Amino acid sequence: MEPTTTIRSYIEDYIRKQGYTLQYFADISGVNAGTLSAIIKGTRPIAMAQLDLITQGMKLEEGYFYEIYGAECFVESAPHWRRLEPFLQRCAELDKLECIHKVIQEVTDDRSYISELFEMAEGMLERGQTKAARMLYECVAECEKYQHSERLALCQYRIFTLSLGQNQHDNLRAAVHFEPYINRLDEERQLDAIKDLANTYLALRYWDKVFDLAEDLEQKTKILQSYTKKKTDKSDRITAYPLFVYRAYSNLLKSSACERQGRYEEALQYTELYASLTKVAEPDEEDQIYIDKFKGWTEANTYLYKLMMGDQGILPAYVNYIEQNKMELLPAMINILEAANKFDHNIDDIIYKFSDQITSEVTRLKGYTEQVELDMYITFLLERTIYHLNRCEYPEGLKQLMHCLREAVKIKNQTDIIHCVALYEKYRNIANAEIEHQYKLIMMEVQRYYDKKENPAFNLA
């Protein structure tokens, strides 16, 4: 990051080559002529606002001088927070992440900036500048890695949530790295951290882990409820939701974990429990929003668990519920398909009824994290594949299988990839040339990834 030419020399050369007077360039750039003269002579440092005006006056792209500016002001000379703060903020606004990275690596030897960098990261996060915020959180966490501070734990929490994406391997790695820091967080913030961690493991299908985290969430919520009065001013509350929501949600997580392990009677018991926990006396407007959410989940999951226990008579009521609650279409269809595959029921009419709506609903789910949504969609495709193959509808089944495999590869979900490959091998002898071609292309992408011949991200159009 050592500049071969200084910003001052750039400005001076530009003015000379353009044939401008100092006053004329001052007029077109909006920087006072005296200030401009002092900057060129090196007797006055360049402020960020002045640098942006000069860059604009020279008709250069925004941030053109930021790398040189970072080297001159924060590497070759002692940095001052009054100048460093606006520089980092402007780099975040212009997505100049490399400039941020190089500068914070140099300035963190002075630990007096750690607190300011953390607060700045919090502000960037609020403004949606997530990439820049993550870099600052990682810098602070590295500087405090031998501490046992709440700030370190909060940095790790922020890094965890900002790390979550479509790659399930990366999500697992982020979850494992973050988990040891939970108990260092503020007691209230721990509730959101456990919830987020449990949701991540839910998408990863670590059912035992989900159940254990749900137990922890319930116990910590009960302790807080025992000595925390309901706050009338939400600005004083650290938790994202009212306390009763966490205890109810912990039981929703338990019911989901039990369901995925085939323990439907237990799942129904936890469903009844979270339904009772949402009966709040004198609920306010915010409370009512979550009461209504849990009411909907109670109804939907009651249908599901009874259906999975063999009660086929509940299906018409379940279908009617779907028609009234379009946002629950995808999870409901997964449940109906699973029951049909388990009990060998014919649900062609239901698939036909909702088939055109499934794809559009995937991007409009409410109440689920992105990771859970993606996992849910792949589960739907897999269950639909199995349904058609079980009914000897091979062309449609293999078509859905290729769709499922493609989506599983995108998020690197090894469990579903292996399941899809096993199904394909079982039915390979009846696959047509088009299906064989699709399968070969997908497997070539997988092989390229493991050979590391390309960027480690699948490229499936």
Side-chain angles (χ1 to χ4, degrees):
M1 197 170 175
E2 298 178 357
T4 56
T5 308
T6 65
I7 296 174
R8 294 191 299 275
S9 64
Y10 263 112
I11 299 169
E12 195 171 20
D13 287 348
Y14 177 81
I15 293 173
R16 185 179 65 255
K17 289 177 180 179
Q18 296 297 321
Y20 295 159
T21 64
L22 186 67
Q23 183 61 56
Y24 181 76
F25 184 67
D27 291 339
I28 63 174
S29 65
V31 180
N32 178 273
T35 300
L36 194 58
S37 176
I39 288 172
I40 293 173
K41 291 177 181 178
T43 59
R44 178 168 182 164
I46 311 174
M48 281 300 301
Q50 294 164 349
L51 181 63
D52 286 340
L53 288 172
I54 290 169
T55 303
Q56 185 178 9
M58 294 172 70
K59 297 180 176 59
L60 299 171
E61 65 179 33
E62 284 188 289
Y64 181 86
F65 290 115
Y66 282 10
E67 187 169 351
I68 300 175
Y69 186 81
E72 288 183 3
C73 297
F74 311 119
V75 177
E76 296 175 351
S77 59
H80 192 288
W81 181 252
R82 192 169 57 191
R83 301 179 69 194
L84 180 59
E85 181 181 22
F87 172 76
L88 293 176
Q89 185 53 56
R90 282 295 288 150
C91 286
E93 291 169 2
L94 298 180
D95 209 28
K96 296 275 187 179
L97 302 180
E98 185 61 28
C99 290
I100 295 176
H101 178 69
K102 289 180 179 179
V103 166
I104 61 176
Q105 278 189 320
E106 297 290 341
V107 304
T108 48
D109 286 340
D110 185 347
R111 299 302 175 91
S112 64
Y113 294 135
I114 299 303
S115 179
E116 286 83 356
L117 287 171
F118 174 77
E119 293 301 328
M120 190 171 200
E122 293 282 88
M124 288 176 175
L125 185 62
E126 288 183 8
R127 291 187 291 273
Q129 297 162 341
T130 55
K131 292 180 180 179
R134 179 176 173 178
M135 294 179 76
L136 265 59
Y137 286 128
E138 289 174 342
C139 173
V140 174
E142 178 63 24
C143 290
E144 298 201 330
K145 63 183 177 181
Y146 298 116
Q147 306 298 320
H148 291 272
S149 66
E150 183 182 338
R151 184 166 63 196
L152 171 61
L154 186 51
C155 281
Q156 294 293 355
Y157 180 32
R158 300 293 193 228
I159 293 167
F160 165 64
T161 57
L162 292 171
S163 299
L164 297 176
Q166 295 187 9
N167 188 318
Q168 297 290 48
H169 288 173
D170 290 345
N171 292 345
L172 176 59
R173 188 160 44 245
V176 171
H177 178 79
F178 166 62
E179 190 168 353
Y181 294 94
I182 285 182
N183 289 331
R184 301 187 202 175
L185 291 167
D186 176 275
E187 288 179 324
E188 289 187 57
R189 192 168 275 118
Q190 285 182 32
L191 304 187
D192 287 304
I194 296 171
K195 170 189 66 68
D196 291 339
L197 190 63
N199 284 338
T200 302
Y201 281 117
L202 186 70
L204 292 165
R205 308 182 194 181
Y206 282 53
W207 312 125
D208 289 339
K209 192 68 178 175
V210 171
F211 196 94
D212 290 344
L213 286 167
E215 287 275 21
D216 194 23
L217 179 59
E218 181 168 34
Q219 292 306 312
K220 289 182 184 295
T221 305
K222 286 170 69 176
I223 292 170
L224 278 175
Q225 285 179 319
S226 68
Y227 65 81
T228 303
K229 293 182 179 179
K230 182 176 178 180
K231 297 179 179 178
T232 55
D233 186 356
K234 288 194 294 184
S235 64
D236 293 335
R237 192 180 75 201
I238 295 178
T239 57
Y241 310 101
L243 283 181
F244 81 90
V245 172
Y246 295 94
R247 193 167 172 199
Y249 192 71
S250 71
N251 285 280
L252 175 60
L253 288 169
K254 291 178 192 177
S255 70
S256 297
C258 288
E259 173 217 332
R260 301 314 300 175
Q261 294 173 312
R263 296 150 50 191
Y264 301 111
E265 291 185 5
E266 288 182 64
L268 192 56
Q269 291 172 7
Y270 287 118
T271 300
E272 293 168 353
L273 187 54
Y274 68 69
S276 67
L277 288 170
T278 54
K279 293 177 181 178
V280 179
E282 300 180 0
D284 60 23
E285 186 176 346
E286 183 189 23
D287 292 339
Q288 194 61 51
I289 291 172
Y290 299 109
I291 290 170
D292 291 341
K293 282 181 179 292
F294 279 98
K295 183 179 179 181
W297 288 330
T298 299
E299 183 178 359
N301 288 335
T302 299
Y303 291 141
L304 162 63
Y305 304 145
K306 289 184 177 181
L307 184 63
M308 295 305 292
M309 286 188 286
D311 185 358
Q312 184 73 358
I314 205 74
L315 196 53
Y318 199 7
V319 171
N320 182 64
Y321 169 81
I322 298 171
E323 291 177 322
Q324 301 300 318
N325 298 272
K326 296 296 186 183
M327 293 299 103
E328 291 297 316
L329 173 58
L330 182 61
M333 283 302 301
I334 292 171
N335 301 333
I336 292 172
L337 280 163
E338 286 181 343
N341 291 334
K342 180 179 180 180
F343 297 108
D344 194 27
H345 292 151
N346 186 324
I347 58 165
D348 287 352
D349 56 334
I350 299 176
I351 292 176
Y352 178 78
K353 184 182 185 71
F354 296 114
S355 60
D356 291 340
Q357 302 174 43
I358 293 293
T359 302
S360 60
E361 293 298 327
V362 171
T363 57
R364 290 164 44 205
L365 288 171
K366 291 184 178 179
Y368 300 95
T369 65
E370 179 188 11
Q371 293 75 40
V372 172
E373 288 176 11
L374 292 168
D375 179 68
M376 202 178 287
Y377 185 52
I378 291 171
T379 301
F380 163 76
L381 294 172
L382 186 55
E383 291 297 331
R384 184 166 179 180
T385 295
I386 294 169
Y387 176 79
H388 290 298
L389 293 176
N390 285 348
R391 302 184 68 77
C392 301
E393 298 167 356
Y394 301 123
E396 184 63 25
L398 290 169
K399 173 186 172 184
Q400 295 296 330
L401 179 60
M402 290 301 103
H403 191 177
C404 182
L405 179 58
R406 192 180 297 273
E407 294 299 316
V409 166
K410 282 182 181 178
I411 67 169
K412 303 178 180 62
N413 188 322
Q414 286 191 349
T415 300
D416 286 332
I417 292 172
I418 292 170
H419 197 165
C420 288
V421 169
L423 281 172
Y424 180 77
E425 292 301 325
K426 182 178 179 179
Y427 295 95
R428 176 191 284 272
N429 63 325
I430 56 175
N432 60 30
E434 176 59 27
I435 294 295
E436 289 181 357
H437 179 65
Q438 289 183 37
Y439 181 77
K440 182 178 179 181
L441 289 177
I442 296 171
M443 289 298 102
M444 286 172 63
E445 291 294 338
V446 173
Q447 188 61 51
R448 277 197 288 265
Y449 167 72
Y450 284 109
D451 288 344
K452 297 182 179 179
K453 293 179 180 178
E454 295 185 353
N455 185 285
F458 295 110
N459 180 26
L460 298 177

